């Protein structure tokens, strides 16, 4: 079905145009008109896909989540030893290269916008539930492998890991010179090492 | 000098009007016109204080930092035992009541806006330097009091503490039902307890 494939590809191209506008001009600048110009298409053609700015922003947010989810699925399928796998999975959510940095900037911009936009807030909350669930799964996997000390509060450790992860993400996005990718990896690895040794 | 005091008070009232507009309508909505309406003043009178939207947003950001700094100074002056003091100082930066929640929402909105606004980025970076410096001072104080194990990497622990702090802040702002104030305190206290026991 080449037309279905083309349609999905076209939707992704348009969402990437939304990302570029958000990164350059902020959420405010991401009007249907500006995105059509960025994508080299007409407003009429763009409206075939996204009728309003809200739909553009929602799809831009959805694409961030889908891309991270696809990469995480690929890491899980590769089936590395648990410690390596845990680190690799969590790193897929952090802005450690240009692609993930673009996602991170769009995520931060739309997370803030979601404070005053109920549709985006619903998307943001679903993404947060997914990511905090991933952190809980990581802690549970370490516990099942006998790598957590007895008596550790798994729910609290999941919440703390999730805070480290998003704190590092915000800092790497906003302070790239103070927190380059190698340092982000180092802090995350230290946290996981400590988690395995928690008394 | 009553006039100087009045002037400072008026500036704060106007900045609080900016906060209310940002929290209700987002950064986009915080035009000079909208803020004048919110503050019950004319655009001409408001322009006496803030000529442009950029100046409004900069002052709104500055006020967030100043308020947190004032509360932290007060905690330090109160002179509690180190462990209590460290927790109390860090809690002043977290959205644990209505006042700090308002600050947190404005901080998140302006942190995102700073991705595409160089003036705001400079303010945000100064605030980040101050807060990451506070985290470093906390780790150093614990080390000097003999409460950190030997061989702990103080710089890395400061970075990790800063990530936990801002991660908790973002989550408490965006997921208040999943992460109520009592839970934020619990996770932060657990992190500090673990830091003191780090091997």
């Amino acid at each position: 079905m080449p037309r279905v494939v083309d349609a999905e590809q076209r939707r992704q191209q348009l969402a990437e145009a939304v990302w570029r506008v958000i990164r350059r001009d902020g959420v405010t600048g991401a009007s249907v008109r500006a995105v059509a110009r960025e994508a080299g298409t007409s407003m009429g053609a763009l409206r075939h896909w996204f009728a309003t700015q809200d739909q553009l922003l929602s799809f831009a947010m959805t694409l961030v989540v889908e891309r991270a989810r696809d990469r995480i699925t690929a890491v899980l399928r590769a089936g590395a030893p648990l410690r390596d796998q845990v680190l690799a999975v969590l790193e897929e959510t952090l802005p450690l290269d240009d692609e993930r940095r673009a996602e991170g900037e769009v995520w931060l911009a739309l997370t803030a916008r979601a404070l005053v936009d109920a549709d985006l807030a619903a998307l943001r909350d679903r993404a947060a539930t997914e990511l905090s669930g991933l952190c809980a799964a990581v802690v549970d996997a370490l516990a099942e492998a006998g790598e957590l000390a007895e008596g550790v509060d798994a729910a609290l450790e999941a919440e703390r890991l999730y805070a480290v992860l998003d704190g590092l993400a915000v800092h790497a996005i906003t302070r790239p010179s103070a927190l380059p990718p190698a340092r982000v990896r180092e802090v995350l690895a230290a946290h996981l090492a400590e988690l395995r040794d928690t008394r």
Side-chain angles (χ1 to χ4, degrees), chain A residues 130-198:
Chain A
E130 199 169 336
L131 189 51
S132 66
L134 182 70
C135 292
V138 161
V139 172
D140 288 348
L142 291 172
E144 278 175 32
E147 299 215 21
L148 289 188
E150 275 194 43
V152 165
D153 181 336
L156 186 143
E157 290 305 335
E159 198 70 59
R160 188 161 71 109
L161 174 59
Y162 181 36
V164 169
L165 208 60
D166 267 353
L168 287 174
V170 170
H171 295 165
I173 292 163
T174 58
R175 312 160 60 231
S177 57
L179 200 63
R183 186 66 167 163
V184 175
R185 286 199 171 94
E186 199 175 9
V187 176
L188 178 61
H191 186 76
L192 288 169
E194 179 273 317
L195 188 60
R196 291 195 304 262
D197 290 331
T198 301

Side-chain angles (χ1 to χ4, degrees), chain A residues 108-122:
Chain A
L108 182 58
L110 294 177
T111 290
R113 168 75 166 208
L115 290 172
V116 294
D117 181 324
D119 289 342
L120 274 181

Side-chain angles (χ1 to χ4, degrees), chain A residues 54-142:
Chain A
D54 282 353
Q55 289 181 15
L56 279 175
L57 299 181
S58 292
F59 189 64
M61 184 75 141
T62 300
L63 188 64
V64 171
V65 176
E66 281 177 0
R67 291 210 174 168
R69 190 192 292 133
D70 287 351
R71 288 194 306 266
I72 287 168
T73 304
V75 168
L76 291 174
R77 282 199 185 131
L82 182 61
R83 289 186 183 201
D84 301 339
Q85 196 178 53
V86 159
L87 193 60
V89 160
L90 296 176
E91 284 185 356
E92 288 304 340
T93 70
L94 289 169
L96 298 174
D97 57 22
D98 288 347
E99 181 186 353
R100 284 173 282 175
R101 182 173 177 80
E103 292 170 3
E105 288 186 9
V106 172
W107 166 77
L108 182 58
L110 294 177
T111 290
R113 168 75 166 208
L115 290 172
V116 294
D117 181 324
D119 289 342
L120 274 181
L123 285 174
R124 179 200 63 194
D125 291 349
R126 276 208 296 278
T129 300
E130 199 169 336
L131 189 51
S132 66
L134 182 70
C135 292
V138 161
V139 172
D140 288 348
L142 291 172

